[in-house]
Amino acid sequence: MSPIGDIPEGQARELLPVFKEHGQEAAVALYREVKELRGERKVTAADLAGARKVLPQRLAGPEQVRHVLAVAAAEGRVPRLAPPAPQPPAQGPGTGPAADEDEGVGKDQADEGAEAIATLERAVAQQEQIYDAVPPSVLAAALLYDSGRAEHLRHRLRQLASRTAYRTRDPRTDSGNH
């Protein structure tokens, strides 16, 4: 990966499958395109993993990486690469990012918040994959094959979805409801 320079091990791990499948030029193109799409935001291994997942199995060439990622980001298929949402204008004194800094929100907290957003984006992507992987025909076929096991797995899916919904309730509005 020498054209990229030194990168963390996690990022290298995400680029390795692209390197092996499509070659060094494609891996470098993937990294550079992700970096460009992220703009001022730091590139993470999760960014590269999301980008890698939208690549087709066969690339016409490294130049195709740019087009594929740009389209996927525009369509929201790689939310971590989409441009950041525009910030609403401040409502007046005591609001907005400057007020946050005055109230003690520093770089560490901002980094923690950015990582939290990345975690939520990964979770949403996983939920979308689960939703796509379980069309009604899958449950019907599973019930015919082994109804007991199918019911158990259906119950676990619903239970985990319910737990996820509970964990993602809005603490600002649900603080008194336990």
Side-chain angles (χ1 to χ4, degrees), residues 54-122:
V54 298
L55 290 180
Q57 290 204 343
R58 299 204 187 274
L59 284 174
E63 62 282 346
Q64 187 183 5
V65 170
R66 170 180 277 266
H67 176 71
V68 168
L69 291 182
V71 169
E75 291 175 348
R77 291 185 288 132
V78 279
R80 294 180 60 83
L81 301 185
Q87 296 297 320
Q91 300 297 318
T95 62
D100 289 345
E101 288 174 14
D102 292 342
E103 294 171 14
V105 176
K107 181 177 178 352
D108 290 345
Q109 288 172 315
D111 289 345
E112 185 178 327
E115 196 55 42
I117 290 292
T119 298
L120 290 173
E121 287 172 340
R122 284 191 304 274

Side-chain angles (χ1 to χ4, degrees), residues 124-144:
V124 167
Q126 290 171 345
Q127 287 292 101
E128 288 172 343
Q129 288 177 338
I130 291 167
Y131 179 81
D132 292 342
V134 187
S137 60
V138 167
L139 181 59
L143 286 167
L144 287 173

Side-chain angles (χ1 to χ4, degrees), residues 7-175:
I7 60 173
E9 181 183 346
Q11 290 180 12
R13 210 175 302 122
E14 293 300 334
L15 290 170
L16 187 59
V18 177
F19 179 83
K20 287 180 177 178
E21 186 72 24
H22 306 289
Q24 181 181 10
E25 287 182 35
V28 170
L30 179 73
Y31 183 86
R32 287 185 176 154
E33 186 59 24
V34 166
K35 185 174 175 121
E36 184 175 319
L37 287 167
R38 291 291 289 166
E40 297 297 315
R41 299 170 291 165
K42 177 181 161 188
V43 173
T44 66
D47 299 333
L48 296 169
R52 183 173 48 83
K53 288 177 184 174
V54 298
L55 290 180
Q57 290 204 343
R58 299 204 187 274
L59 284 174
E63 62 282 346
Q64 187 183 5
V65 170
R66 170 180 277 266
H67 176 71
V68 168
L69 291 182
V71 169
E75 291 175 348
R77 291 185 288 132
V78 279
R80 294 180 60 83
L81 301 185
Q87 296 297 320
Q91 300 297 318
T95 62
D100 289 345
E101 288 174 14
D102 292 342
E103 294 171 14
V105 176
K107 181 177 178 352
D108 290 345
Q109 288 172 315
D111 289 345
E112 185 178 327
E115 196 55 42
I117 290 292
T119 298
L120 290 173
E121 287 172 340
R122 284 191 304 274
V124 167
Q126 290 171 345
Q127 287 292 101
E128 288 172 343
Q129 288 177 338
I130 291 167
Y131 179 81
D132 292 342
V134 187
S137 60
V138 167
L139 181 59
L143 286 167
L144 287 173
Y145 180 75
D146 183 344
S147 63
R149 183 78 175 137
E151 279 297 333
H152 170 75
L153 293 170
R154 183 189 65 81
H155 174 75
R156 283 294 290 149
L157 277 171
R158 291 174 61 106
Q159 188 179 42
L160 291 167
S162 178
R163 286 180 178 176
T164 301
Y166 181 77
R167 273 198 178 162
T168 57
R169 68 195 186 285
D170 189 342
R172 298 170 297 183
T173 59
D174 295 337
S175 59

